[in-house]
Amino acid sequence: MHEAADIEISRRGILVGGAATVALPAVASAEPGRASSVPQPPRMPIRLEVNGESHSLELDTRTTLLDALREHLHLTGTKKGCDHGQCGACTVIVDGRRINSCLTLAVMHDGEAITTIEGLGTPDRLHPMQAAFIKHDGYQCGYCTPGQICSAVAVLDEIKAGIPSHVTEDIIASIRPTNLEMRERMSGNICRCGAYSNIAEAMAEVLGAEVSGAEVSGESA
Amino acid sequence: MRPFTYERATSAQDAAAKAARMPGAKFIAGGTNLLDLMKIEVETPTHLIDVNGLGLDRIGPTADGGLRIGALVRNTDLAADMRVRRDYALLSRALVAGASGQLRNKATTAGNLLQRTRCSYFYDTNQPCNKRKPGSGCAAIAGYSRPLGVIGVSEACIATHPSDMAIAMRALDATVETVKPDGTARAIPIADLHRLPGATPQIETTLEKGEFIVGVTLPRPIGGTHIYHKVRDRASYAFALVSIGAILQKDGSGRIAVGGIAPKPWRVEAAEAEMPRGAKAVSSALLAGAKPTQENAFKLTLVERTLGAVMAQARA
């Protein structure tokens, strides 16, 4: 489908080119309009702002943000797990909010600020959450890890912004960033290796470094 | 996914008019349910009308002391709004009981109301399903029906409406505001938005072709103890087997809406008169006429016991 769109077009180019060199007159009489009679899926121009860089693309409208990042911008840190919003491996941060990049169309994000795992830190300058995942063994195979880390970074912002969760006992008061809060808020990120307890510990360490005391503001705009 | 053209609507009426005029057109807001279904070709729109960016993402007071919620307000923002947390806590509680953090960041108020059932036979295009393919039959009734509906269902369909948010809105007597393709406005009590399946389970709401939800209003706060109790197979990120949305007053009166059991948020006002006689009496009245399958008959008991727990929690 759209993942293969670039390949398909180049292959068609080769086939047409090959036929033309072998039997140009026959092709000219028998094949006019052949390429245009195959309905082409609609495409649209789009500008994606990813990790501070602007990219102009023309994409099949069906292209998800996930496929745009991986197949067109070759930012393969963001992973495709279930492709249905159930596993969280594709989590990226758009305008400060974590979302499933598999369940949104690239054309819906023209000009929005997208942060992927590649934009959080680099091997030389790790994001504090990346460093904490390494320190606490927050992964085994690593496939879900980019999504886990993007989600974890956004979760701490959500707690600081006073956004309540299912396990928040008093939704009017300030939110206590407990281990239970971390686990509930991370339930959209599945880890089949089962590194959950270490992920929660990594998050607690980063939160401890960022927030003094156990309580953060419960106010929200 | 089938190919489609895409455009951004310029106003609510523009969106409604385009949706009415163009065959195969659908609105897209958060897209979390629609794209999921488009990938498996249960939904096959040929044109998408993006309704983000119409300025419908605001929450504000109404003239009579209630709250107006724009159709495009994200679930996260609605749950976190301090007015909602303070005066309509049931709504906050129901919202955060649903989906995952990532999904709540995209999912919208109107989209949540209009989401499709999660019946596994609706998703499986190799199976008959009267909702997906009218007249093809229902594989669920004699199949895996454990998560499905026990009341308000029909011989044609036993799918449930999966929303948690809608349960709270039903208990809160919300009103759904729409714009029709000709530009006229309509206010629909939430009780009348979703319809029962009968012989036409593919028709899920009373909305007309192209009619576009612009917002939801809540009447002025009624106080009371707000409880949303969701029973599910895992502690987080799962749909309800049974959920109870309750607003209970000190004098023993209250409102009860039930999720996970019916094709729409299930509330029977007459059953609420039974509150002084306890959970068993209320649930008997709520579930009168229920038609469970062998696999989901446990939900009748579960409603009664969950309601009992909710009423005990309110007294504590």
Side-chain angles (χ1 to χ4, degrees):
Chain A
M1 236 173 35
H2 43 257
E3 295 95 326
D6 291 345
I7 298 165
E8 227 171 84
I9 284 162
S10 55
R11 190 175 61 194
R12 185 177 300 119
I14 291 162
L15 289 173
V16 170
T21 51
V22 174
L24 188 61
V27 168
S29 59
E31 298 283 278
R34 170 71 187 269
S36 62
S37 72
V38 177
Q40 293 298 303
R43 298 173 75 83
M44 283 185 76
I46 182 188
R47 189 172 51 90
L48 289 179
E49 307 283 342
V50 186
N51 303 327
E53 276 185 45
S54 186
H55 304 268
S56 289
L57 298 167
E58 191 181 279
L59 297 175
D60 185 322
T61 52
R62 294 173 292 180
T63 312
T64 60
L65 179 58
L66 173 61
D67 287 336
L69 292 170
R70 286 182 56 85
E71 308 297 329
H72 296 271
L73 300 180
H74 308 295
L75 291 167
T76 53
T78 307
K79 297 293 186 268
K80 182 180 281 194
C82 68
D83 209 26
H84 284 277
Q86 296 174 9
C87 76
C90 69
T91 303
V92 299
I93 300 170
V94 177
D95 285 346
R97 291 282 179 93
R98 56 180 171 144
I99 66 168
N100 300 111
S101 62
C102 75
L103 282 188
T104 194
L105 297 170
V107 292
M108 297 173 77
H109 296 282
D110 195 72
E112 294 178 1
I114 299 158
T115 303
T116 68
I117 189 70
E118 291 94 341
L120 281 180
T122 65
D124 299 327
R125 290 174 62 102
L126 293 174
H127 184 280
M129 191 63 79
Q130 291 172 313
F133 266 62
I134 293 169
K135 181 180 168 187
H136 290 274
D137 258 344
Y139 53 88
Q140 282 184 43
C141 82
Y143 194 80
C144 72
T145 311
Q148 298 277 4
I149 291 176
C150 284
S151 202
V153 168
V155 161
L156 300 196
D157 288 340
E158 288 165 17
I159 291 175
K160 278 186 268 183
I163 295 169
S165 87
H166 178 60
V167 299
T168 307
E169 277 182 34
D170 183 347
I171 59 172
I172 304 293
S174 52
I175 295 165
R176 294 173 51 238
T178 60
N179 185 277
L180 191 61
E181 282 280 1
M182 308 294 178
R183 285 169 175 267
E184 161 60 25
R185 289 167 191 269
M186 291 295 286
S187 70
N189 291 84
I190 308 296
C191 169
R192 283 296 70 136
C193 301
Y196 299 113
S197 60
N198 295 356
I199 290 170
E201 280 172 26
M203 293 172 69
E205 172 161 321
V206 176
L207 191 68
E210 287 182 352
V211 181
S212 55
E215 305 233 338
V216 293
S217 168
E219 292 298 318
S220 174
Chain B
M1 208 187 301
R2 304 277 179 86
F4 55 83
T5 48
Y6 166 94
E7 71 177 313
R8 293 187 185 86
T10 55
S11 70
Q13 192 195 335
D14 170 58
K18 278 180 174 139
R21 195 170 61 237
M22 300 184 70
K26 269 201 174 284
F27 304 125
I28 186 165
T32 53
N33 187 218
L34 180 60
L35 286 167
D36 188 25
L37 292 168
M38 285 169 66
K39 287 183 183 192
I40 55 172
E41 298 189 359
V42 168
E43 294 274 17
T44 54
T46 54
H47 184 68
L48 286 184
I49 302 165
D50 186 341
V51 296
N52 292 282
L54 296 182
L56 299 173
D57 55 353
R58 289 185 276 273
I59 305 172
T62 62
D64 58 356
L67 204 60
R68 187 173 185 288
I69 303 156
L72 272 287
V73 173
R74 309 287 158 177
N75 285 181
T76 296
D77 295 315
L78 185 55
D81 186 280
M82 193 45 92
R83 291 161 293 193
V84 177
R85 286 151 75 181
R86 188 185 60 225
D87 298 330
Y88 307 96
L90 176 59
L91 183 54
S92 272
R93 289 290 187 193
L95 282 160
V96 297
S100 67
Q102 289 96 317
L103 291 169
R104 291 193 296 270
N105 280 342
K106 283 307 283 181
T108 63
T109 305
N112 186 301
L113 290 173
L114 298 180
Q115 68 181 302
R116 311 298 302 276
T117 185
R118 296 318 195 279
C119 174
S120 53
Y121 299 99
F122 175 70
Y123 267 71
D124 184 349
T125 51
N126 294 309
Q127 300 279 348
C129 169
N130 288 321
K131 187 185 283 295
R132 174 169 36 77
K133 193 177 174 192
S136 62
C138 173
I141 291 172
Y144 175 68
S145 59
R146 182 175 174 272
L148 300 174
V150 298
I151 194 160
V153 296
S154 71
E155 297 296 312
C157 183
I158 60 169
T160 55
H161 192 271
S163 171
D164 293 294
M165 183 196 80
I167 305 306
M169 286 186 169
R170 181 69 180 87
L172 289 164
D173 281 335
T175 301
V176 178
E177 294 180 353
T178 70
V179 167
K180 292 191 192 183
D182 65 3
T184 56
R186 181 158 81 121
I188 308 169
I190 191 151
D192 301 333
L193 176 68
H194 300 102
R195 59 184 294 288
L196 296 180
T200 53
Q202 73 276 17
I203 306 168
E204 296 176 350
T205 70
T206 53
L207 296 176
E208 296 169 16
K209 186 169 172 55
E211 189 170 4
F212 177 68
I213 297 178
V214 292
V216 174
T217 55
L218 302 177
R220 59 184 310 133
I222 59 163
T225 302
H226 290 222
I227 298 171
Y228 190 73
H229 194 131
K230 182 174 181 178
V231 183
R232 43 185 162 174
D233 282 332
R234 57 184 182 210
S236 183
Y237 197 15
F239 289 97
L241 289 169
V242 161
S243 71
I244 303 270
I247 303 170
L248 301 171
Q249 305 292 352
K250 280 200 164 54
D251 64 4
S253 66
R255 299 180 184 180
I256 308 289
V258 187
I261 62 165
K264 62 189 288 186
W266 198 253
R267 182 176 172 202
V268 178
E269 276 83 347
E272 292 162 7
E274 302 290 323
M275 296 283 294
R277 280 173 286 282
K280 192 178 182 67
V282 177
S283 65
S284 294
L286 260 170
L287 299 172
K291 288 193 171 63
T293 65
Q294 204 173 355
E295 280 195 0
N296 65 23
F298 74 95
K299 289 192 177 190
L300 305 182
T301 316
L302 193 55
V303 167
E304 181 193 322
R305 291 181 183 171
T306 308
L307 182 58
V310 164
M311 290 167 75
Q313 187 187 334
R315 281 192 301 270

